[in-house]
Amino acid sequence: MRVIVRSVSELCITVGTLIVLFVVYVLFWTGVKADHTMSDQIHQLQDQWSRQTARPKTSAAPSPAPAKPAAYKDGKPFAIMYIPRLGFTWNKPVLEDTDVSTLKKGLGHYAGTARLGQVGNFAVAGHRRTYGNPFVNFPKLRVGDAVVLTDGTTWFTYRIDKGPYKTVPTDIEVIDPVPRKSGYTASGRYLTLTTCDPEWGHSHRLIVWAHLDSTQPVEAGRPAALRR
């Protein structure tokens, strides 16, 4: 009997230790890895942009027509997002698609929604918890808050018009070109941000909607929303 009790006790201790280690992994280690990965994605983008800026022009003759923007590549970063409400050091890479592997590296652009700054709905998803907790403070977002993005050539400043709005995961109309229940009634240049709710679950989604308020070239300096 003592042997059985001892064995059960040892098993409970082992299981408890494994649970604690798993929690540490989820809460801490995935965050450390994600922060490192997101920083690496941002550095890659900034290096790419700096090389493009430094590239010498091959001809002084004007181009007959502007080049068509390159398509976003699945799982690859193409922009950096800043949200001052979440802290002036908060910045995250935006990558193409919302696959599980992509959202471990940053925020994910819903494939098929508008390109950054273009007519339609530029929709982006991010984790609330785990993998760096990019949207852990999502509920703090308020109407009028700025969401600023750059693609290396232009700053895009969006202003939040509505949210956080709570809905269910099957409510995919929130990322329509004119999002359902956003208050918008005509086409425009919109931004939708989505994340999970509750904080440690995924039974619902939190949504905010914004409109494109202003743009300016990167050469003009940081937009007013990012200046302290």
Side-chain angles (χ1 to χ4, degrees), residues 155-177:
W155 289 105
F156 303 85
T157 300
Y158 291 83
R159 290 284 173 182
I160 293 177
D161 294 307
K162 185 173 181 179
Y165 166 75
K166 188 173 182 177
T167 188
V168 293
T170 54
D171 186 7
I172 59 174
E173 294 177 353
V174 298
I175 62 171
D176 280 353

Side-chain angles (χ1 to χ4, degrees), residues 81-84 86-92 107 133-136 148:
M81 180 183 291
Y82 304 78
I83 305 180
L86 303 183
F88 276 89
T89 60
W90 191 100
N91 59 79
K92 306 296 176 187
L107 307 178
N133 307 326
F135 280 155
V136 64
V148 183

Side-chain angles (χ1 to χ4, degrees), residues 59-219:
S59 174
S63 300
K68 184 178 180 180
Y72 298 150
K73 296 180 180 179
D74 290 348
K76 300 297 183 181
F78 62 87
I80 302 172
M81 180 183 291
Y82 304 78
I83 305 180
R85 170 71 71 180
L86 303 183
F88 276 89
T89 60
W90 191 100
N91 59 79
K92 306 296 176 187
V94 182
L95 301 88
E96 178 64 2
D97 76 50
T98 54
D99 290 349
V100 173
S101 59
T102 300
L103 292 178
K104 291 180 180 180
K105 298 183 287 185
L107 307 178
H109 170 243
Y110 285 92
T113 65
R115 292 175 62 92
L116 177 58
Q118 299 304 302
V119 173
N121 186 9
F122 178 71
V124 176
H127 280 297
R128 181 88 176 273
R129 279 290 189 178
T130 70
Y131 298 105
N133 307 326
F135 280 155
V136 64
N137 290 319
F138 198 92
K140 293 183 178 180
L141 296 177
R142 296 291 181 266
V143 171
D145 284 350
V147 180
V148 183
L149 296 103
T150 182
D151 62 0
T153 62
T154 306
W155 289 105
F156 303 85
T157 300
Y158 291 83
R159 290 284 173 182
I160 293 177
D161 294 307
K162 185 173 181 179
Y165 166 75
K166 188 173 182 177
T167 188
V168 293
T170 54
D171 186 7
I172 59 174
E173 294 177 353
V174 298
I175 62 171
D176 280 353
V178 180
R180 187 179 74 86
K181 295 194 175 178
S182 63
Y184 305 133
T185 58
S187 63
R189 300 172 192 270
Y190 303 128
L191 166 71
T192 298
L193 302 180
T194 77
T195 194
C196 292
D197 191 69
E199 190 171 328
W200 289 103
H202 51 80
S203 62
H204 289 77
R205 296 288 183 269
L206 290 180
I207 316 292
V208 299
W209 290 291
H211 71 278
L212 184 62
D213 186 60
S214 64
T215 63
Q216 66 182 62
V218 167
E219 291 81 3

Side-chain angles (χ1 to χ4, degrees), residues 27-39:
L27 295 181
F28 178 72
W29 184 240
T30 61
V32 170
K33 290 178 63 178
D35 285 342
H36 176 77
T37 300
M38 285 189 276
S39 293

